[in-house]
Amino acid sequence: MKTFEYDILFFPVKKQKDYDEVRRALNERGAEGWEVITAKAGDYGYTTFLKRETGTMKAASE
């Protein structure tokens, strides 16, 4: 069975140019193997939830 690790990133977005920072950060994480599971918009920005495979395998019976 595959195993994963998870991370949460928050991006304050106040201006259109802030989206460039979000894109840059997510592209960096993507290059490290992270995948965005979901993103939630809030009053002050976006919270993104990410996962990536850890490379360790566990038996299905564990």
Side-chain angles (χ1 to χ4, degrees):
M1 175 187 327
K2 294 179 182 180
T3 59
F4 298 92
E5 61 181 325
Y6 300 88
D7 199 4
I8 301 169
L9 300 176
F10 176 75
F11 298 101
V13 176
K14 297 178 183 172
K15 300 176 185 168
Q16 185 68 29
K17 68 177 183 147
D18 293 335
Y19 289 104
D20 291 334
E21 175 63 23
V22 173
R23 187 178 300 107
R24 184 197 59 74
L26 292 177
N27 281 329
E28 283 180 7
R29 299 296 263 187
E32 296 170 355
W34 291 95
E35 174 183 1
V36 174
I37 300 169
T38 190
K40 300 283 184 176
D43 292 338
Y44 302 103
Y46 290 87
T47 302
T48 60
F49 299 87
L50 301 98
K51 76 174 184 178
R52 73 175 169 184
E53 196 169 335
T54 61
T56 56
M57 300 290 279
K58 291 191 175 185
S61 61
E62 289 184 27

